Amino acid sequence: MAVAASFDGAAFRRFPLAIAMQTVATVLVVGVVNGWLADLGDADWMRAIAGLSTGALFALAGNLFLESRPERRAEGIVLAYVVPLVVAGAFQVHDTANFAPTLLPAVGMLWASVAAFTGQPAERIELQNRFWWLNHRAFATLLLALAGLALLALGCLVIQQSVAALFDIELDDVFWKGILPIAAFLLAPVYWLSTLPRLSDYDPKDLFEPDFITKAVGFLGQFVLAPILIVYAAILLVYAGQIALARALPHGMLGWMVLGFTVAGAATWLLLYPPFMADRLVVRLFRRSWFWLTVVPLVLLAIAITVRVLAYGLSTDRMLLIGGGLWAATLTVLFLFRRGDIRQIPAVAATILALLSVGPWNIENGPRVDQARRLDATLAEATDQTHPTWSADELATARSAVEALIGTPAGRNALAEVLAAHDIPYDGTSGDTAKLVASFPGAALAAAATPGASIGPSTTTHLQRPADLPIDITQTPLYLGPLAVWRGGAAPAGGLSFTLQDGNKLEVANADGQKTTIDLGRWGADRTAGGFNPASVDFDLGDRHYRLIADGLDLFGPNAGPQSVTYVTGVLFSGPLKPPRPAPGQKAAPSRATP
């Protein structure tokens, strides 16, 4: 693989603004870690560092555009020298009502990957080949830069420990506050920039006669990623059928499962693009079927997002899922209608992330506005000042909206505006959700009188069995093994199948199809200080008696009410089936169970 891996002046002449901005960012990093710049506060300095580093990415992209399109010199100069400075300055905007810089680093990386390949449609195939060629080399040398940085950190650690042990000299500040920040923020990026080949170095035969690294990457895509994704697609299709039959979506899992699946598929599609891979059987199967296999998962993603947004409103995570779903759906449509282009994979993502950064719908302000709207509508519905009435659903909506708003200064400002419109006092600083919701007219009384209602926030509580708690297993001496089961999932133990269902129900089935259900409601109501007692539950199934001894529990729900068991880990023991206790005057029947 031919790369210009040197520290001569070529990289500085080719990417002057990118290196200059990263140099200033490095100076600020060294100043912050050494405490030299504490006067303005670490948060402000970190915003400046993030802005400069992100601006350097945009400068890199602009230089690549200018290098590839010399006839568009005016646009190239703006992209290479004006836009990066604007981006760096944009990080100093604290008001997120119309702009949020959070996603700009990702936008910069994606734009840099495609900036050199914005030519005419007539050059479509050639530009795709060049796109793959440059990004493949850039990614490979990035990994080398990171590996070198890791080795440097390891070397610094060894030297620092050795000098301290042998000579009692401490070099912590030299290494960790000097050498490593400079290496991580300046030397490694400059090395990487020096390895980026010039566009004029492109040789078409690299896509037909691959070198060792290219073959290794192709092997990874062909024999590891592609088969795994095809199998996982089949699993998602079966899972879709299960969801359709059960008419219930999993709790908070499906969206990220599908998005991760589509991102991995897009990355694999890029790995398998080169022509030398085209005649491989697995590659042909993957390329012909992949975008068809994404259709059903994307439908599931759309349903999951719709259900969650209608129930709980927008959040930053849900907006990312919406953006990811739009990205994946756009690619699926383009490729299924034979309008696909591998440059669109980063380009569409960069466009969507940029749209989520600018405007009142941005990733920070959009959820804030939506949650404030939900709270305002709920208060208007439930708080008639003469006779306030709350349902359990309205209390849950109000609580979730307050939880979403109360965690940030901008959210608390929006919360204060909504509550002021309903004459509810709030100082704009308190972060106590339960206390604030309890101050809503009639909410506390309604929570006390309404089954299933709560004004407290929902959290996960972990309980551990006390180590010194004695457990009697004299009647169940046979050890069958450990058990760990999540809510909504199934797990085997001792030849039985355990399924933890909603409503604190643990269903147990044996190989003969016999079933029993255990009510874990007592554990769900437990509020001991990190432990629970009793720690075991007994049940009979078939011709055996069983004792499940829990080691740990995860409970989820409102702090002010019963929680649901979401995870159980423990061990299972068995013994003979206990005979029924005889009535007075009768002899006990012999046991049918074998010990």
Side-chain angles (χ1 to χ4, degrees):
M1 180 172 57
V3 292
S6 65
F7 277 100
D8 58 19
F12 296 89
R13 290 192 299 270
R14 193 177 175 198
F15 309 110
L17 183 58
I19 293 176
M21 296 181 79
Q22 197 60 33
T23 300
V24 177
T26 304
V27 171
L28 295 183
V29 169
V30 173
V32 169
V33 298
N34 284 279
W36 302 335
L37 303 174
D39 291 345
L40 293 182
D42 287 349
D44 289 332
W45 287 120
M46 293 308 294
R47 290 177 74 96
I49 293 166
L52 287 165
S53 296
T54 304
L57 284 172
F58 278 85
L60 165 64
N63 283 126
L64 290 174
F65 177 89
L66 188 59
E67 188 175 309
S68 67
R69 305 291 296 276
E71 78 281 3
R72 305 287 293 273
R73 183 169 179 78
E75 294 94 326
I77 290 174
V78 171
L79 291 173
Y81 298 102
V82 178
V83 170
L85 297 175
V86 172
V87 168
F91 274 76
Q92 300 308 310
V93 178
H94 290 257
D95 184 3
T96 57
N98 291 290
F99 171 73
T102 314
L103 302 176
L104 288 185
V107 174
M109 288 188 290
L110 293 167
W111 166 227
S113 73
V114 78
F117 313 101
T118 60
Q120 300 301 318
E123 305 167 335
R124 183 166 167 258
I125 300 300
E126 177 70 8
L127 287 172
Q128 289 184 83
N129 291 342
R130 290 173 175 269
F131 167 86
W132 188 91
W133 169 80
L134 180 61
N135 283 281
H136 169 68
R137 279 152 178 73
F139 184 72
T141 55
L142 175 63
L143 294 181
L144 288 175
L146 293 176
L149 183 62
L151 289 174
L152 176 63
L154 180 61
C156 288
L157 178 63
V158 171
I159 293 173
Q160 179 251 323
Q161 294 292 335
S162 300
V163 170
L166 296 175
F167 306 107
D168 198 25
I169 299 175
E170 295 295 337
L171 298 176
D172 297 39
D173 289 351
V174 174
F175 286 130
W176 310 116
K177 295 183 179 181
I179 293 176
L180 279 182
I182 293 173
F185 281 84
L186 184 60
L187 298 182
V190 171
Y191 162 77
W192 178 65
L193 290 176
S194 72
T195 66
L196 295 181
R198 289 188 175 275
L199 302 181
S200 58
D201 295 337
Y202 170 69
D203 187 347
K205 75 176 184 179
D206 289 341
L207 280 77
F208 296 90
E209 301 174 10
D211 56 25
F212 173 77
I213 293 179
T214 304
K215 286 182 179 179
V217 172
F219 178 88
L220 176 67
Q222 179 184 359
F223 295 108
V224 179
L225 295 177
I228 288 175
L229 285 167
I230 291 173
V231 171
Y232 193 53
I235 293 172
L236 284 177
L237 290 175
V238 174
Y239 194 42
Q242 178 182 333
I243 290 174
L245 291 174
R247 297 184 180 181
L249 292 171
H251 296 276
M253 296 170 50
L254 186 58
W256 292 110
M257 287 169 53
V258 173
L259 186 57
F261 170 69
T262 55
V263 169
T268 304
W269 186 274
L270 290 174
L271 284 179
L272 300 179
Y273 172 79
F276 78 88
M277 300 290 297
D279 60 345
R280 314 293 173 88
L281 176 61
V282 174
V283 175
R284 292 202 309 270
L285 175 62
F286 180 82
R287 290 178 65 85
R288 289 175 182 175
S289 62
W290 169 249
F291 286 102
W292 288 107
L293 292 175
T294 64
V295 173
V296 172
L298 287 175
V299 171
L300 290 177
L301 176 61
I303 294 172
I305 291 174
T306 301
V307 170
R308 299 295 182 232
V309 171
L310 289 177
Y312 306 110
L314 289 175
S315 67
T316 298
D317 286 352
R318 292 183 194 115
M319 289 197 70
L320 284 175
L321 284 175
I322 291 171
L326 290 174
W327 166 76
T330 301
L331 294 179
T332 295
V333 171
L334 288 171
F335 277 89
L336 289 182
F337 284 91
R338 301 185 182 278
R339 296 291 184 270
D341 184 318
I342 62 171
R343 295 172 297 167
Q344 295 163 347
I345 294 175
V348 173
T351 301
I352 290 174
L353 293 178
L355 290 174
L356 290 177
S357 301
V358 180
W361 55 81
N362 71 69
I363 197 167
E364 294 188 31
N365 192 63
R368 192 161 58 233
V369 171
D370 182 65
Q371 295 294 346
R373 177 196 58 78
R374 292 175 72 241
L375 179 60
D376 181 64
T378 302
L379 288 170
E381 181 71 21
T383 58
D384 177 356
Q385 296 300 313
T386 59
H387 185 65
T389 57
W390 289 87
S391 67
D393 287 343
E394 288 170 337
L395 280 172
T397 298
R399 186 185 68 239
S400 68
V402 171
E403 286 176 351
L405 293 170
I406 209 166
T408 63
R412 288 192 290 272
N413 290 338
L415 180 59
E417 291 180 8
V418 172
L419 297 183
H422 293 272
D423 297 323
I424 298 174
Y426 175 59
D427 60 7
T429 60
S430 172
D432 190 335
T433 299
K435 183 178 180 180
L436 183 57
V437 175
S439 72
F440 296 172
L445 292 175
T450 305
S454 172
I455 59 176
S458 294
T459 57
T460 294
T461 305
H462 180 72
L463 303 180
Q464 197 73 27
R465 175 169 57 87
D468 58 351
L469 180 66
I471 305 292
D472 182 10
I473 58 170
T474 56
Q475 302 301 315
T476 54
L478 182 60
Y479 172 71
L480 299 182
L483 170 70
V485 58
W486 291 92
R487 184 172 69 181
L496 305 179
S497 175
F498 291 80
T499 304
L500 184 55
Q501 303 171 337
D502 290 340
N504 293 325
K505 304 298 182 184
L506 181 63
E507 183 182 271
V508 190
N510 61 17
D512 297 328
Q514 297 170 306
K515 296 181 179 181
T516 188
T517 301
I518 305 168
D519 186 359
L520 304 181
R522 182 173 183 180
W523 284 347
D526 202 312
R527 283 297 182 279
T528 57
F532 52 93
N533 188 12
S536 63
V537 61
D538 292 77
F539 61 94
D540 296 332
L541 189 60
D543 61 355
R544 303 294 293 173
H545 179 69
Y546 298 89
R547 169 160 285 190
L548 172 62
I549 301 174
D551 292 325
L553 303 172
D554 281 354
L555 310 175
F556 179 78
N559 289 338
Q563 295 183 318
S564 298
V565 179
T566 58
Y567 180 60
V568 176
T569 178
V571 289
L572 185 65
F573 292 85
S574 175
L577 185 66
K578 294 180 180 178
R581 183 171 297 177
Q586 292 183 346
K587 292 183 178 181
S591 173
R592 296 182 291 103
T594 56

